[in-house]
């Protein structure tokens, strides 16, 4: 019986990894053609003044309205020369390249009336900071195709301190804006730029397909509340590579909607490849999944990560009421340094959008594999606290963490409601994650049979 289950399990795992290995690797292998646009105008031609004081929202809006007429003629480029270009929110258009020259800095206005207000995303049902609507992001795209935001390492600076102060003092009238938000679009590239001081998120693709985020750096102070670098949200076929991200909260967070709103919208984040990134996440996690994951998150390949000075390395977050799933996730080739907890999986994220969530909507977290990890100065190796009746499932292998002996608690690993297996782990993991454990095998039978993959016969 035990052998049968183990074989069944092995074949289930190897099948899935083969399938997703092929596909998630494709995301960073596919490179969009970045042909130069046949038409280019400078923002200066639309009256913009790069003195850091003049408000240029009208210039950006007018330039992009004009360039929209080239959408069916091969597209166009909006060129931003060196200077400090203060602006409020503006919208992009299809077949457009926004190009920021070296020393071109787009500055976000610190007056909230320059940002405009928009409805909550349907998969969230409300703003993230407070209920109700949200400020529009600085640079927005709605239902577009073929959009490129790039440059010669120019800068987009959100001057977020006003927003962080308003968040901390509970004086926000709507949830905070982001720097770049692209909604329901495909073929999107964000590359070769520096992002500074985002009010909340830096890059937020929502309901998008084919998004490449490449060679960007993003910084916000370690004290900035809930600032996040890149947030793939109900989006598929994404590549994030060659980026340096240092944030107050998380560096990269994958999401897909919140409780009943996300379940109804039902759009997963899937086929995401994250590679070769240097991440710092002061109070959150270098790479986080959830906690809003109600549309599902699957087929994510994360490799070649350098994580330092972070609260958590890799983090899986969910709660009863979310529904959805996080599955077929492979994390490999990770170096961590000065990280408090290397791995967390927490099924007790209690925040809900409203009282309408379904307490019987259990999330599933399975087929998560983490391998080839080294860590220096780690305080806690792992904390896996799953959900009763929906245990988390992990496979760990080849993980060597050097623990901070001055601060390490007695047990490096904490586990409950988790099953799985492990190989070559130091410090030694909890018994729930040892492949020989009778306990984990029998919970496994329960998990598999509850999914109709095995029977007790
Ligand atoms: C930007 O796009 C949104 C959504 O289509 C629209 O509601 C808004 O009016 C646009 N803003 C401007 C300045 O064009
Ligand atoms: C990264 O961006 C910098 C500055 O924009 C550029 O010089 C460099 O060639 C880019 N590297 C890649 C791999 O695109
Ligand atoms: C871009 O500029 C920022 C500082 O402005 C720097 O930290 C970063 O390394 C530069 N990126 C590249 C690829 O040159
Ligand atoms: C909220 O609205 C009040 C009244 O309109 C305004 O004085 C205040 O500046 C607004 N706060 C923010 C953060 O937008
Ligand atoms: C980034 O910049 C480099 C150097 O100019 C260029 O070769 C590359 O195509 C750019 N990458 C993207 C994705 O824009
Ligand atoms: C990221 O940091 C590394 C090491 O400091 C640097 O070589 C690389 O150019 C940086 N990349 C970006 C996109 O800023
Ligand atoms: C070890 O990591 C912790 C963060 O978890 C940090 O506060 C501390 O300074 C680090 N120690 C050294 C020697 O770098
Ligand atoms: C274990 O992981 C390290 C990197 O963390 C890697 O260099 C080594 O080759 C791996 N060993 C095996 C047996 O895969």
């Amino acid at each position: 019986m035990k052998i049968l289950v183990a074989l069944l399990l092995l074949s289930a795992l190897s099948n899935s990894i083969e399938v997703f290995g092929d596909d998630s690797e494709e995301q960073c292998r596919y490179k969009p053609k970045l042909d130069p646009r046949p038409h280019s105008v400078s923002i200066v031609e639309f009256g913009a003044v790069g003195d850091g004081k003049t408000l240029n929202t009208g210039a950006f809006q007018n330039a992009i309205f004009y360039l929209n007429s080239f959408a069916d003629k091969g597209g166009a480029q909006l060129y931003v020369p060196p200077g400090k270009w203060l602006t409020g929110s503006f919208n992009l258009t299809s077949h457009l390249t926004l190009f920021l020259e070296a020393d071109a800095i787009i500055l976000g206005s610190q007056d909230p009336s320059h940002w405009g207000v928009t409805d909550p995303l349907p998969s969230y049902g409300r703003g993230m900071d407070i209920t109700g609507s949200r400020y529009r992001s600085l640079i927005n795209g709605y239902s577009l195709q073929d959009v490129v935001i790039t440059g010669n390492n120019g800068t987009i600076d959100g001057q977020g301190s006003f927003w962080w102060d308003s968040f901390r003092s509970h004086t926000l009238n709507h949830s905070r804006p982001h720097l770049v938000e692209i909604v329901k679009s495909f073929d999107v590239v964000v590359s070769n730029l520096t992002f500074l001081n985002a009010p909340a998120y830096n890059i937020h693709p929502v309901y998008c397909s084919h998004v490449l985020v490449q060679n960007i750096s993003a910084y916000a102070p370690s004290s900035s509340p809930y600032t996040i670098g890149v947030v793939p949200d109900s989006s598929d076929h994404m590549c994030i590579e060659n980026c340096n991200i240092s944030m107050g909260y998380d560096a990269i967070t994958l999401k897909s909607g919140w409780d009943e709103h996300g379940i109804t919208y039902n759009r997963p984040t899937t086929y995401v490849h994250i590679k070769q990134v240097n991440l710092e996440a002061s109070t959150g996690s270098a790479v986080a999944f959830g906690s809003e994951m109600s549309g599902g998150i699957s087929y994510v390949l994360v490799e070649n990560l350098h994580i330092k000075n972070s609260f958590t390395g890799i983090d899986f977050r969910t709660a009863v009421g979310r529904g959805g799933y996080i599955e077929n996730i492979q994390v490999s080739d990770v170096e961590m340094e000065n990280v408090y907890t290397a791995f967390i999986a927490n099924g007790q994220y209690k925040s809900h959008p409203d009282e309408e969530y379904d307490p019987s909507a259990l999330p599933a977290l399975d087929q998560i594999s983490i391998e080839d990890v080294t860590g220096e100065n780690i305080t806690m190796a792992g904390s896996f606290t799953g959900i009763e009746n929906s245990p988390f499932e992990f496979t760990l292998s080849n993980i060597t963490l050097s623990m901070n002996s001055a601060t390490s608690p007695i047990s490096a690993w904490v586990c409950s409601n988790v099953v799985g297996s492990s190989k070559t782990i130091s410090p030694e993991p909890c018994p729930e994650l040892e492949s020989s454990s009778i306990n984990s095998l029998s919970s496994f039978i329960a998990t598999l049979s509850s999914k109709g993959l095995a029977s007790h016969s």
Side-chain angles (χ1 to χ4, degrees), residues 423-456:
K423 200 173 72 186
T424 332
I425 311 292
S426 165
E428 199 164 312
C430 38
E432 288 90 334
L433 290 172
E434 283 169 15
S435 21
S436 58
S437 159
I438 302 284
N439 245 346
S440 78
L441 267 181
S442 49
S443 339
F444 238 116
I445 299 168
T447 317
L448 289 175
S449 58
S450 74
K451 292 172 198 300
L453 288 172
S455 78
H456 285 285

Side-chain angles (χ1 to χ4, degrees), residues 153 192-194 214-219 241-245 278 308:
N153 203 15
N192 294 352
L193 292 174
T194 295
Q214 193 182 54
N215 197 32
I216 61 122
S217 44
Y219 304 98
E241 74 177 323
N242 218 336
C243 296
N244 298 340
I245 303 176
N278 297 316
K308 63 177 183 183

